[in-house]
């Protein structure tokens, strides 16, 4: 089958590992289902995979793509939940020590078809296109859990989203605005800040800029480049929810501020199957739809990867199959 895959890890030149070509059709183990992929979205995780981060060397070649939407052999339209937990695991799948994300152990979605455990597919709401549904499983699910499950914040409070144009950042802005938060965002360029405002941010600021007042919560995926600013932007008792560190994980922790102002730092990763079901319902009933900045046929996946590597995102990058 046609697929976009990582041939072997390339820590310093991830695009050199990107291969567009043929991979064997997958077998369908008992209890698993085949999804004919209609659309799949790109995540920073795919660039980490090309670099060999979070995946064992013996797992290459690996078809990329952590999330997607498509059709089962019986014609059911589905969205993929890409947290694969152990068969005997019950409860929050993200807490299973043996869990993996698609492309860490099992082949991913940038292909004509992908196989996943039957419990890892959910019905696609008819109101969402395949391209929109393909954004839900990773970036949007992560944002949903950060905001609604982990933060403990409530509508009316002020949140700061670090980053304006990324997949998780745009999801946080759109979900937060629709849920009644006062949403502020930082962006590295005027274009990116304008994008955040068009998606519902009430105010935007240059990265690192002093804010007019301190906020109740900060949402972090950038890491080293913004961490100090995140800590300094919080009211006493405020909360940072962190799910990524694109610019590096070795930030100054600002420990004195953390304890003196009694701040909470909460880690968050992906989300559960139930949370994905709730997110799909949320989008269905509110009409909120992911901002897709770039939709390309899977055959042109390299253009999307390059845009993400160069920081030229404007929401989600989605690949479609014919
Ligand atoms: N834990 C999880 O489950 C989980 C799930 C999804 C993603 N993540 C992580 O979250 C991060 C973002 O993923 P994504 O898919 O949203 O990536 P993305 O679409 O490429 O977005 C990157 C974001 O980072 C910001 N950024 C990057 N470098 C920056 C810098 N030096 N200074 C300020 N801002 C910077 C960008 O802000 P601008 O708009 O200003 O350019 C943009 O908002 C990645 O590290 C990813 O691994 C984790």
């Amino acid at each position: 089958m046609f697929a976009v895959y990582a041939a072997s890890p390339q820590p310093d030149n991830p695009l050199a590992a990107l291969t567009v070509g043929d991979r064997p059709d997958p077998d369908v183990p008992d209890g698993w289902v085949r999804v004919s992929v209609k659309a799949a979205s790109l995540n920073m995780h795919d660039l980490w995979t090309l670099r060999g981060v979070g995946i064992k060397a013996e797992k290459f070649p690996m078809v990329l793509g952590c999330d997607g939407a498509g059709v089962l052999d019986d014609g059911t339209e589905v969205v993929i939940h890409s947290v694969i937990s152990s068969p005997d695991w019950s409860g929050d799948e993200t807490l299973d020590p043996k869990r993996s994300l698609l492309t860490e152990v099992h082949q991913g979605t940038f292909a004509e078809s992908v196989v996943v455990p039957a419990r890892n597919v959910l019905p696609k709401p008819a109101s969402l296109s395949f391209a929109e549904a393909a954004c839900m499983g990773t970036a949007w699910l992560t944002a949903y859990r950060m905001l609604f499950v982990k933060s403990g914040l409530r509508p009316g409070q002020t949140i700061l989203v670090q980053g304006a144009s990324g997949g998780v950042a745009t999801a946080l802005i759109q979900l937060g605005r629709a849920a009644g938060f006062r949403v502020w965002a930082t962006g590295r360029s005027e274009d990116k800040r304008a994008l955040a405002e068009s998606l519902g941010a009430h105010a935007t600021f240059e990265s690192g800029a002093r804010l007019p007042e301190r906020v109740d919560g900060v949402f972090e995926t950038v890491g080293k480049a913004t961490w100090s600013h995140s800590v300094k932007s919080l009211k006493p008792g405020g909360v940072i929810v962190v799910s990524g560190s694109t610019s590096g994980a070795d930030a100054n922790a600002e420990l004195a501020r953390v304890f003196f102002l009694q701040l909470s730092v909460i880690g968050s990763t992906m989300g559960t199957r139930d949370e994905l079901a709730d997110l799909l319902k949320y989008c269905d009933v509110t009409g909120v739809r992911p901002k897709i900045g770039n939709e390309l046929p899977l055959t042109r996946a390299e253009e999307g990867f390059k845009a993400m590597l160069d920081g030229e995102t404007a929401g989600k990058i989605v690949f479609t199959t014919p």
Side-chain angles (χ1 to χ4, degrees), residues 71-213:
V71 181
L72 298 182
D73 290 351
D74 69 4
T76 310
E77 296 185 349
V78 295
V79 180
I80 294 168
H81 179 226
S82 63
V83 182
I84 314 288
S85 53
S86 323
D88 55 350
W89 182 262
S90 62
D92 185 331
E93 298 90 349
T94 67
L95 298 179
D96 176 2
K98 293 191 183 140
R99 76 171 194 293
S100 65
L101 193 61
L102 273 186
T103 74
E104 291 173 351
V105 177
H106 305 288
Q107 304 289 319
T109 55
F110 292 171
E112 285 171 55
S113 60
V114 60
V115 295
V116 293
R119 66 181 174 180
N120 282 78
V121 294
L122 290 90
K124 179 182 84 62
S127 60
L128 265 67
S129 69
F130 281 109
E132 290 164 346
C135 301
M136 295 288 131
T138 299
W140 274 64
L141 179 59
T142 300
Y144 182 93
R145 182 174 172 95
M146 290 172 81
L147 188 56
F148 299 126
V149 182
K150 290 289 192 170
S151 78
L153 298 170
R154 51 180 192 275
Q157 293 188 299
T158 303
I159 61 172
L160 175 69
V161 179
Q162 294 285 15
S165 69
V168 179
T170 50
L172 284 163
I173 293 166
Q174 293 187 255
L175 289 169
R177 175 64 189 243
F181 289 90
R182 182 161 70 144
V183 180
W184 291 356
T186 61
R188 289 182 289 175
S189 70
E190 218 164 281
D191 284 359
K192 287 169 183 257
R193 294 191 290 276
L195 172 77
E197 285 175 26
S198 76
L199 295 177
H202 295 93
T204 57
F205 306 90
E206 287 178 29
S207 301
R210 192 184 176 86
L211 304 179
E213 62 187 69

Side-chain angles (χ1 to χ4, degrees), residues 44 48 142 163-168 187-188 192 222 243 246 268-270:
M44 187 64 84
W48 297 128
T142 300
S165 69
V168 179
R188 289 182 289 175
K192 287 169 183 257
V222 179
S243 72
T246 303
S268 192
T269 279
M270 297 297 288

